[in-house]
Amino acid sequence: MHSRVPMVTVLALMALMPLFSGAVDIRQLRQLTAKHNVTCVLVFGDSSVDPGNNNRLPTTMKGNFPPYGKDFFDRRPTGRFSNGRLATDFIAEAIGYTKIIPAFLDPNLKPTDLLHGVSFASAASGYDDLTANLSQVLPVSKQLEYLKHYKLHLSRLVGVKKAQNIVNSAIFVLSMGTNDFLQNYYLEPNRPKQFNVEQYQNFLASRMFEDIKEMNRLGATRVVVVGVPPLGCMPLVRTLAGQNTCVESYNQAAWSFNAKIKEKLAILKKTIGIKDAYVDCYGVIQNAINNPKKFGLVETSKGCCGSGTIEYGDSCKGMTTCADPSKYAFWDAVHPTEKMYRILADEAIASLDGALIG
């Protein structure tokens, strides 16, 4: 399975900015981002933030067919592993740039689209290059290579100096990690032979650390890292474990890894001076699962596609879906609904204090 449920991304509202039922003060947010010269959003990661890059790759990890995209503009499947938009799309809309963050590999991408930000993310990827290689998708190293291509295209559009300024003032979003555990460590034999769970978490955290240092070398000054979700609460994981409740061991692995992410971010802030923020995807999704009515949700234990217990990606193709996805936390047995992504985006914006863009 590929994607991270998690979610997303960025931008900083003051901590005191209120969030009631997902209501964010958009005007204040836009004033803040303008004041601090935030230029665009550049996205790296897995299916939680891939708007369709995998459509162009020789991989089976795709979502560019119905019922994916059922509630997207024109009911169009784009490659997003959801019924509609992703959290990064909602963030871009909130700060006033565009209603969607396009895929960098989208053949219909226009030069002017580059100004508002793009996603280099690839469903089924992870911090561990082996994770991406298992599914023939883009590892972080390749996503960063495409960032260099992006800078070249941007330079041709606005000149080298302005292009560099756009990258320096962008918000970089990094959202991945789920597949490293679910598609790799818990499924394939190689990594468990090399590492126990804690050692593998340390390995992944060190890879993330190096990835952000490379982003900084390429111009990043503001980075938002999205933690991994409660893996044991995914419908597919619960089904495979034969449990009606969340699988605690998987949740513990996710929680512990997130703690290591935060430790590395603190070190990065001290050593290279990068402004960073952490989005508690785990806490947001767990809160929604434990308190569904608070978020207008009814079903949090299964997805909307097919039986909701095992289908995702190819196995979701052509399946019937639930009547009202906005009442569901999960669209398929792995990935969130547009409603859940909106909750993630709103909570992410509201939880960030001014440190990122202040």
Side-chain angles (χ1 to χ4, degrees):
M1 71 218 212
H2 17 348
S3 219
R4 280 90 260 20
V5 219
M7 213 31 269
V8 118
T9 153
V10 241
L11 249 100
L13 269 196
M14 309 295 241
L16 42 101
M17 180 164 292
L19 172 82
F20 300 110
S21 304
V24 171
D25 188 333
I26 299 301
R27 185 176 61 84
Q28 189 174 347
L29 172 61
R30 291 179 181 177
Q31 287 174 347
L32 247 182
T33 53
K35 177 182 177 182
H36 294 284
N37 193 34
V38 173
T39 50
C40 65
V41 182
L42 299 174
V43 185
F44 304 80
D46 55 26
S47 59
S48 59
V49 288
D50 179 2
N53 284 310
N54 276 19
N55 298 352
R56 311 293 295 173
L57 304 179
T59 177
T60 58
M61 299 300 191
K62 298 180 181 180
N64 57 343
F65 43 77
Y68 291 104
K70 181 180 179 181
D71 299 300
F72 196 76
F73 302 110
D74 300 326
R75 299 172 66 86
R76 180 168 54 93
T78 59
R80 289 169 174 81
F81 284 84
S82 190
N83 56 308
R85 287 187 282 172
L86 307 175
T88 33
D89 296 319
F90 289 121
I91 294 212
E93 182 176 48
I95 59 181
Y97 296 148
T98 174
K99 289 183 183 297
I100 61 169
I101 295 282
F104 182 64
L105 298 185
D106 184 346
N108 298 314
L109 191 72
K110 297 185 287 293
T112 51
D113 291 334
L114 300 176
L115 298 170
H116 305 303
V118 295
S119 174
F120 306 94
S122 181
S125 192
Y127 291 114
D128 184 350
D129 279 4
L130 175 60
T131 303
N133 293 340
L134 289 168
S135 299
Q136 295 181 286
V137 299
L138 306 176
V140 182
S141 55
K142 189 65 178 179
Q143 294 182 33
L144 289 171
E145 189 178 315
Y146 280 128
L147 171 62
K148 296 174 186 175
H149 294 188
Y150 166 83
K151 290 174 69 174
L152 285 173
H153 288 299
L154 201 58
S155 296
R156 293 186 192 126
L157 187 66
V158 299
V160 174
K161 187 175 180 181
K162 188 170 183 182
Q164 190 60 47
N165 177 64
I166 288 172
V167 172
N168 291 155
S169 299
I171 295 210
F172 282 61
V173 178
L174 187 56
S175 177
M176 63 173 69
T178 297
N179 298 312
D180 291 312
F181 292 97
L182 299 185
Q183 288 285 90
N184 188 344
Y185 192 84
Y186 289 133
L187 196 62
E188 299 290 334
N190 291 353
R191 291 311 190 210
K193 290 177 182 175
Q194 297 172 271
F195 308 108
N196 63 30
V197 174
E198 184 177 5
Q199 289 170 337
Y200 190 58
Q201 292 166 345
N202 290 333
F203 171 72
L204 295 178
S206 68
R207 295 311 311 144
M208 181 208 72
F209 187 85
E210 294 302 322
D211 293 338
I212 294 176
K213 282 172 65 176
E214 178 63 9
M215 287 178 180
N216 180 243
R217 194 182 70 77
L218 293 172
T221 62
R222 302 157 170 164
V223 177
V224 174
V225 177
V226 182
V228 297
L231 304 176
C233 294
M234 288 180 179
L236 180 63
V237 173
R238 291 162 66 145
T239 299
L240 295 177
Q243 292 189 198
N244 293 324
T245 55
C246 298
V247 181
E248 189 52 41
S249 61
Y250 278 53
N251 280 0
Q252 183 58 44
W255 190 89
S256 299
F257 176 54
N258 286 336
K260 295 177 188 298
I261 288 177
K262 287 183 276 189
E263 288 172 5
K264 291 293 187 184
L265 290 178
I267 295 171
L268 284 164
K269 188 172 288 188
K270 287 181 181 177
T271 55
I272 63 175
I274 199 163
K275 292 176 181 173
D276 57 50
Y278 171 78
V279 177
D280 184 14
C281 175
Y282 185 108
V284 173
I285 291 180
Q286 191 169 59
N287 191 17
I289 289 172
N290 292 339
N291 306 285
K293 289 182 180 177
K294 176 182 175 184
F295 298 93
L297 300 171
V298 173
E299 179 57 73
T300 61
S301 64
K302 64 180 183 180
C304 181
C305 178
S307 69
T309 58
I310 57 170
E311 299 89 348
Y312 73 96
D314 267 352
S315 56
C316 184
K317 184 182 288 187
M319 285 284 180
T320 56
T321 58
C322 62
D324 187 359
S326 71
K327 302 297 184 187
Y328 280 62
F330 293 95
W331 170 244
D332 59 20
V334 174
H335 305 96
T337 53
E338 179 182 76
K339 171 70 172 287
M340 191 68 233
Y341 276 128
R342 186 184 287 276
I343 292 168
L344 280 163
D346 287 348
E347 291 281 352
I349 291 169
S351 70
L352 297 171
D353 59 15
L356 181 61
I357 57 179

